[in-house]
Amino acid sequence: MSKRVGIREVAAAAGVSVTTVSHSLSGGGQISDATRERVRSVAEGLNYAPNRLASGLRSKRSQIIGFVSDEISTTPYAGNVLLGAQEAAAANDQVLMVVNSNRNSRIEDRGIDALLQHSVDGIIYARMYHQAVKLPAALSGVPTVLLDASSDRTDLSSVVPDEEGAALTAMEHLLAAGHRRIGYLGNIDEIPATRGRLAGYRAALAAHGIPFDESLVTVGESMTAPGRDAASRVLALADRPTALFCFNDRMAMGAYQAAHLAGLEIPRDLSIVSIDNFEVLADALLPGLTSIALPHYEMGRWAIERLAAELAGEADSAPQQIQMPCPLVLRQSVGPPPR
Amino acid sequence: MSKRVGIREVAAAAGVSVTTVSHSLSGGGQISDATRERVRSVAEGLNYAPNRLASGLRSKRSQIIGFVSDEISTTPYAGNVLLGAQEAAAANDQVLMVVNSNRNSRIEDRGIDALLQHSVDGIIYARMYHQAVKLPAALSGVPTVLLDASSDRTDLSSVVPDEEGAALTAMEHLLAAGHRRIGYLGNIDEIPATRGRLAGYRAALAAHGIPFDESLVTVGESMTAPGRDAASRVLALADRPTALFCFNDRMAMGAYQAAHLAGLEIPRDLSIVSIDNFEVLADALLPGLTSIALPHYEMGRWAIERLAAELAGEADSAPQQIQMPCPLVLRQSVGPPPR
DNA sequence: CTGTTAGCGCCTTCAT
DNA sequence: ATGAAGGCGCTAACAG
């Protein structure tokens, strides 16, 4: 690293004052185009790079965004959220400072403290699956955007997936393939996705005049083994469904296994659609699993852009709470119902 | 955020100078225990928190560690690496600034530039799977530790999994179960893991006096579908193996599918061990997949701790290149060979 | 043991 | 259109 060149070396080399250099490089002030250009090329030639600690200290803008997550390690798609945020931040000349809490609020508070000590300009408060949150007290007064999380506060921007819309999309796909007897493999956690996806399931049935049949709904924890058990139960029904809409890909994998055990072939005897588009599973299953993608990357981008707009005090900087659409990703797990 | 309290308010409230406050809080200087305690409690009462931009500017220690990764989004266990690093950093009163390159060296250079502008104290240069790297020029002179990556430079610390050891562990487990005819489902990428795991496979055979049989080795891309195809080929052999050691869990999933298609039951007819311990797969497969865990979390921790030691200029701060052991995680995919 | 005095590198009035 | 000067909050000499 050696001794980095500072604004004063540039000033000396360009034969101007440090003020002029500062203005030239940051686009501010009233500097003639000629001077500005000259200073810029001198700076570039000298390989000048600003010291963000110093500029942050003076200007109260660190260009650092804090990213607070709850369980970055256990959620395979956490990387996409982070990536979306990171790329959007880079485009704004910002950088991400990441802190993970492991769902421990003491650790979370410590992490937030650390971020504030480093003078982050704002914070993305991210959950790794859609949930309702109460914002930590330490965050009051700090510009914050909620990611994959919602709260009852209307003064905060937030972005979550459109759970009900995702379920509708999944169901419409099955209905369009001709299915009328569609089971729902649901989960049991008390999270918004639980409510939203079930609501979408029912709404889709209603929209097509199909009566809701309680016996076609089985639930379990949202993992493979419970999914397998729950699926086995519906598939054992005398009048079993011809298609299954699954809460997520892990449960869908369980449904595949249950189908195998029951001697059913997918999609000939049973069609399956789920939510997550978790590629390691969806692509690997045989046949490929048709699934609704959750917009992880996009939520990451949106959160940063929203935060940037609010920090800039832009005209449209009123907080927004949005639900993002979730696209269908076609693979091979859906076919017409067996006759 | 309002106006944060600074060192001078604390000094005034405690009736001492700012120097005394600084020394009291940072543990330096010669301050009487009484004063130190008093200052500390005053600071706490005032809810003082240091401004790290200012202290970093002055002391040349930002307490920020840069984390440079290549493809955080596509690798499901990236979160564990990050988590290990983050937790270790927090324990050192450091915080992580994360930058991802998507394997694009221009983006990577920009990211590293940003980190340097923010005066990171050091950098963890991480890859998401074990590979040999050439360090970007921008990093010369910056304290750096390689994570899941190795280079030919002996002046840099690095940590990678012990690939050969992992393979040996896997093979010993199969051998201990009584298998003698063991196939290897390998991959084709030009990465250290390819070489190391194959070497471990051969070494284990040799150690038990079992001749290497080329026909038992099939390879493919390290994903499920190619794994399925490769496995189908060995399983079609007249004298098929009684066990399969797989390059990774995704290929192992392919092997499960191939076994099913061939009417073979695991582990009755075929035992399987692989490497990754990627829980979303290993736990979900039926039966559970016995797999060797890669020490992602541990590598993250180690890298930060090594970097901290080097930054502190500790006695044992000579660079180290280490290979981490990979533990066996037992599930249900291994049994005795069929008679 | 404690206090005084200079900056760290930059941005921002304010004057020219 | 450009420059001079002060200070962001803190720590590191150096004095006492």
Side-chain angles (χ1 to χ4, degrees), chain A residues 17 19-20 30-32 35 58 60:
Chain A
S17 74
T19 311
T20 304
Q30 308 299 305
I31 306 285
S32 74
T35 311
R58 183 62 237 245
K60 307 293 183 199

Side-chain angles (χ1 to χ4, degrees), chain B residues 273-293:
Chain B
V273 172
S274 76
I275 295 187
D276 255 10
N277 189 41
F278 179 34
E279 301 190 352
V280 174
L281 288 187
D283 270 342
L285 287 170
L286 198 60
L289 172 63
T290 290
S291 187
I292 308 285

